[in-house]
Amino acid sequence: MTTTTARLTASFDDAPLTLVRRRWPLGLALLLLVAFVALPLLGDDYWLNAILIPFLVLSLAGLGLNLLTGYTGQTSVGAAGFMAVGAFATYGLLLRVPGIPLPLALVGGGLIAAFLGMLFGIPSARIKGFYLMVTTLAAQFFIEWVFAKFPWFYNYASSGTISAPRLELFGYSLASPVGRYLLTLSCVVLLTWVAVNLVRSQTGRNWMAIRDMDTAAAVIGIPVDRYKRLAFAVSSFYLGIAGALWAFAYLGTASAGSFDINRSFQILFIIIIGGMGSIAGNFVGAAFISLMPIFLNHAGQWLFGGNVDAGQLQNLQKILFGTLIIVFLIKEPEGLVRLVGNLRDRLRTWPLRF
Amino acid sequence: MSTLLEVRNISLSFKGVKAISDLSFAVRRGEICALIGPNGAGKSSLLNILNGVYRADAGELVFDAERLHRPHPLTAARLGIGRTFQNNALFKNMSVLDNLLTGLSRFQRSFFIEQALGLPRARREARVFAERAEQVLEFLELQPWRDVAVGSLAYGLQKRVELGRALIAQPTLLLLDEPMAGMNAEEKQEMSRFIADINRDLGATVILIEHDIKVVMDLCAHVVVLDYGRKVGDGTPAEVQANPDVIAAYLGTVHG
Ligand SMILES: Nc1ncnc2c1ncn2[C@@H]1O[C@H](COP(=O)(O)OP(=O)(O)OP(=O)(O)O)[C@@H](O)[C@H]1O
Ligand SMILES: [Mg+2]
């Protein structure tokens, strides 16, 4: 016992630096290979444009919101507002800074969104829960209004829209579907790696501690207000980049209306369905949200032939989503990712039960 | 032995109801000081003042020869005041290991961007932190529950995890609010042993709130008795037990 406790008091600073070689799980390597090589080769334009790019961007947005809401416990319904900031800021940088490379413009747009997110996160020191959610709602409407109201942001275009500027990297054009897909994929992979690092680090633990019990977090020495603001900033950075990609890699032409409150709810649903406080959940949730309508369309066609009109199908979708959200909130607050995990555990132990 | 903590004329009230009135006492460096008294005497409130969760209406605190004017929980943590709560205040969705690791926040030196990008300093810090957490797991015999979510642990184990979370921060002063409440005799003995070891081997000064008088007699050389927010006794266990005011405070009161 004495030896243990004696070691406990050993100093912090004398640990040698050894490089831990991380093993790349085969599954991940395979997934990346498929995503970077197979899909661009095999996928047709429709798949890339209409399914894979929006799926990836929505996953990224979910990731951003999840860091704030799932990991830090600060519910926000203003996600799309910060996406808009990223989109308009990236546009402004590409337009007004001559020769700025695309990656720099994206990071710049993300940083501007992060700064704004940090500002809107300041009230989180004083208000919690429902009332904090209302301030994010206010942020959403305010930001939307600003980008619709002041023509400077959309360069005085009579349409009030911003459209994809030169998408190029080191002289290569990224304007083709494959180019836009690879741009999006690279951003998503890089930022997912960063997010995994973050949630496994002391920063991530501090966020989760604040989520679970903020008084205790302060008592053990976590600067609660600072980490809440940091969560707002990091979350908005992710959302900002997602917004820029949504505008330029997916839509091509966007306006303030592309980032309305419905988009915010869509992102929120992604993390509820996929799983709060889970990285993989964002991808599962985004896949669900973006594939479900397509699936329903086909199912509707197949079941009823041409007898159901599109409007009714859309209503059906809304009802289905609403029901699912309620089911998830009540039955499985940890989302689809948890359901899949449970299933896997059961399969693993399945033969043993007999 | 020198004085580590001095409480001077502290008063606290909630909406006009006095919880603590004009309380003064001193805790010597290296001792285990028991804080006892009937329910509602103001013991937990006092701990909350000591680490800045509540603010005293009047009075002052001197910690480690430094005057603390209305400490904030963060300042208290940075000065090395650790704490466990009467009703467990763990991070229930996190594993035992992660709960312990949060206790190291006050030693964190790497910036968030270093952690985000997995830079060497952050990685090295993470490894040192992990090693320390393993040591605490071993010390408190918590290894079997290392990766279990704290919320699903038995109450007694949770109390131990909370002790670990405070302990890992190498506190100078450790405030323990009824760490043995709801435990059976065997668990109490185990917990007493942990507290004694922490005090002796790590040199942490301890303020312990405890209702079980036998535990207090075994562990503590100094006892402070509160009743209705006033100090009614202060001395060795024997002195306090012989004090008529203390006996009066306990007569007819329900405590558990
Ligand atoms: N946050 C609060 N708001 C209002 N009143 C409070 C608050 N905290 C404590 N009190 C009151 O202050 C008095 C002292 O409470 P405290 O919790 O400090 O007692 P205690 O000695 O820890 O009792 P116990 O042995 O039951 O834990 C009680 O009358 C209690 O009702
Ligand atoms: Mg109490």
Side-chain angles (χ1 to χ4, degrees):
Chain A
M1 193 60 65
T2 317
T3 51
T4 320
T5 48
R7 273 199 284 122
L8 272 176
T9 55
S11 152
F12 268 99
D13 308 314
D14 50 12
L17 169 65
T18 55
L19 292 171
V20 188
R21 282 238 290 171
R22 271 178 230 162
R23 289 196 309 128
W24 280 71
L26 196 67
L28 183 61
L30 244 149
L31 190 69
L32 287 178
L33 202 70
V34 168
F36 273 104
V37 182
L39 285 179
L41 286 177
L42 302 176
D44 59 17
D45 285 1
Y46 170 75
W47 264 86
L48 293 173
N49 266 333
I51 296 175
L52 289 172
I53 294 177
F55 155 70
L56 284 171
V57 180
L58 289 175
S59 303
L60 184 62
L63 192 55
L65 184 62
N66 218 327
L67 290 176
L68 179 66
T69 301
Y71 283 93
T72 319
Q74 314 296 303
T75 308
S76 162
V77 289
F82 297 105
M83 289 174 78
V85 175
F88 280 86
T90 304
Y91 174 74
L93 286 170
L94 285 168
L95 188 77
R96 297 192 169 94
V97 182
I100 188 175
L102 182 62
L104 213 60
L106 278 173
V107 170
L111 286 177
I112 292 171
F115 178 71
L116 232 78
M118 199 268 292
L119 287 186
F120 279 104
I122 290 174
S124 68
R126 286 298 161 94
I127 38 184
K128 291 180 186 176
F130 177 74
Y131 294 98
L132 184 67
M133 206 175 78
V134 173
T135 67
T136 62
L137 188 67
Q140 166 73 41
F141 286 127
F142 174 72
I143 292 170
E144 232 185 288
W145 173 78
V146 166
F147 288 130
K149 171 86 185 165
F150 298 101
W152 183 78
F153 289 110
Y154 47 83
N155 200 27
Y156 309 98
S158 55
S159 56
T161 60
I162 54 177
S163 41
R166 51 194 156 83
L167 286 180
E168 56 178 36
L169 193 58
F170 311 127
Y172 292 99
S173 170
L174 297 174
S176 69
V178 172
R180 286 182 280 114
Y181 167 75
L182 285 177
L183 170 71
T184 309
L185 182 65
S186 309
C187 291
V188 170
V189 168
L190 203 69
L191 287 171
T192 304
W193 172 73
V194 169
V196 170
N197 279 345
L198 267 180
V199 300
R200 287 182 185 166
S201 72
Q202 200 68 16
T203 300
R205 278 188 289 271
N206 290 351
W207 282 342
M208 290 184 266
I210 291 167
R211 171 195 67 193
D212 282 2
M213 185 167 286
D214 55 358
T215 336
V219 164
I220 61 175
I222 297 172
V224 172
D225 299 345
R226 179 135 53 86
Y227 273 89
K228 281 184 185 169
R229 286 198 302 272
L230 180 65
F232 270 96
V234 174
S235 162
S236 303
F237 179 81
Y238 275 70
L239 287 164
I241 289 187
L245 292 171
W246 187 257
F248 306 129
Y250 173 52
L251 294 177
T253 300
S255 66
S258 317
F259 303 101
D260 62 0
I261 184 81
N262 286 325
R263 180 82 50 224
S264 285
F265 280 123
Q266 189 184 32
I267 314 293
L268 193 62
F269 292 165
I270 285 174
I271 70 172
I272 292 173
I273 291 179
M276 295 270 212
S278 148
I279 299 284
N282 304 302
F283 293 89
V284 178
F288 190 85
I289 287 255
S290 46
L291 291 180
M292 194 52 152
I294 298 169
F295 171 78
L296 276 182
N297 241 332
H298 284 287
Q301 290 293 326
W302 182 72
L303 278 177
F304 311 109
N307 298 336
V308 181
D309 69 289
Q312 253 165 343
L313 264 179
Q314 278 212 330
N315 283 337
L316 193 69
Q317 253 180 52
K318 280 182 188 149
I319 294 169
L320 194 76
F321 274 135
T323 317
L324 275 171
I325 299 287
I326 294 168
V327 169
F328 272 104
L329 283 176
I330 296 172
K331 279 285 181 195
E332 194 55 89
E334 289 175 62
L336 273 177
V337 147
R338 188 52 199 245
L339 277 182
V340 173
N342 287 347
L343 203 67
R344 204 177 46 201
D345 288 349
R346 208 167 297 167
L347 282 178
R348 203 175 282 153
T349 55
W350 170 68
L352 300 178
R353 296 209 317 217
F354 296 96
Chain B
M1 267 193 288
S2 63
T3 300
L4 178 67
L5 172 75
E6 223 185 312
V7 174
R8 289 186 189 155
N9 311 103
I10 289 285
S11 295
L12 174 74
S13 53
F14 294 104
K15 300 202 182 90
V17 182
K18 280 251 169 191
I20 297 176
S21 354
D22 201 24
L23 177 68
S24 303
F25 67 94
V27 178
R28 284 184 300 276
R29 196 180 293 276
E31 75 175 359
I32 301 182
C33 171
L35 199 56
I36 66 171
N39 293 120
K43 306 179 295 293
S44 298
S45 302
L46 178 66
L47 293 200
N48 279 331
I49 290 173
L50 292 182
N51 69 355
V53 178
Y54 292 167
R55 296 200 152 175
D57 304 330
E60 64 175 13
L61 303 168
V62 182
F63 178 75
D64 223 354
E66 218 180 301
R67 258 192 80 232
L68 294 185
H69 184 69
R70 302 182 155 218
H72 184 270
L74 267 183
T75 358
R78 285 188 183 139
L79 287 170
I81 302 181
R83 164 87 191 264
T84 69
F85 290 83
Q86 183 167 356
N87 309 317
N88 295 355
L90 286 162
F91 309 125
K92 61 182 192 313
N93 297 310
M94 299 167 68
S95 70
V96 171
L97 181 71
D98 281 339
N99 266 274
L100 294 182
L101 284 167
T102 56
L104 287 168
S105 280
R106 82 178 177 105
F107 298 108
Q108 184 184 328
R109 293 293 172 271
S110 67
F111 292 114
F112 114 92
I113 198 79
E114 293 174 276
Q115 297 171 19
L117 301 177
L119 297 185
R121 186 163 77 138
R123 286 216 308 274
R124 182 172 52 202
E125 187 176 77
R127 235 194 28 266
V128 177
F129 281 13
E131 267 164 34
R132 296 183 55 77
E134 294 298 336
Q135 288 166 3
V136 172
L137 280 175
E138 190 187 328
F139 173 65
L140 293 176
E141 292 155 30
L142 281 167
Q143 292 118 320
W145 300 277
R146 192 176 180 280
D147 298 312
V148 178
V150 159
S152 60
L153 289 181
Y155 186 72
L157 280 173
Q158 293 198 10
K159 289 252 159 201
R160 226 195 284 172
V161 177
E162 211 187 345
L163 177 65
R165 189 181 65 188
L167 168 65
I168 200 171
Q170 296 179 300
T172 315
L173 176 64
L174 191 51
L175 313 172
L176 303 177
D177 197 343
E178 305 197 19
M180 295 169 231
M183 287 186 171
N184 62 33
E186 194 190 332
E187 289 174 317
K188 278 188 183 183
Q189 208 156 35
E190 216 171 23
M191 187 53 101
S192 301
R193 181 167 58 81
F194 287 135
I195 295 171
D197 283 341
I198 290 166
N199 174 250
R200 193 185 55 236
D201 299 337
L202 300 180
T205 306
V206 178
I207 298 181
L208 171 69
I209 299 180
E210 179 50 53
H211 284 293
D212 187 331
I213 212 71
K214 192 181 157 306
V215 171
V216 171
M217 295 300 156
D218 286 351
L219 274 177
C220 312
H222 179 193
V223 181
V224 173
V225 191
L226 295 188
D227 189 26
Y228 291 112
R230 289 171 202 286
K231 185 169 87 172
V232 293
D234 186 349
T236 65
E239 282 168 6
V240 162
Q241 267 183 316
N243 182 334
D245 291 338
V246 175
I247 296 165
Y250 270 93
L251 273 183
T253 56
V254 189
H255 49 88

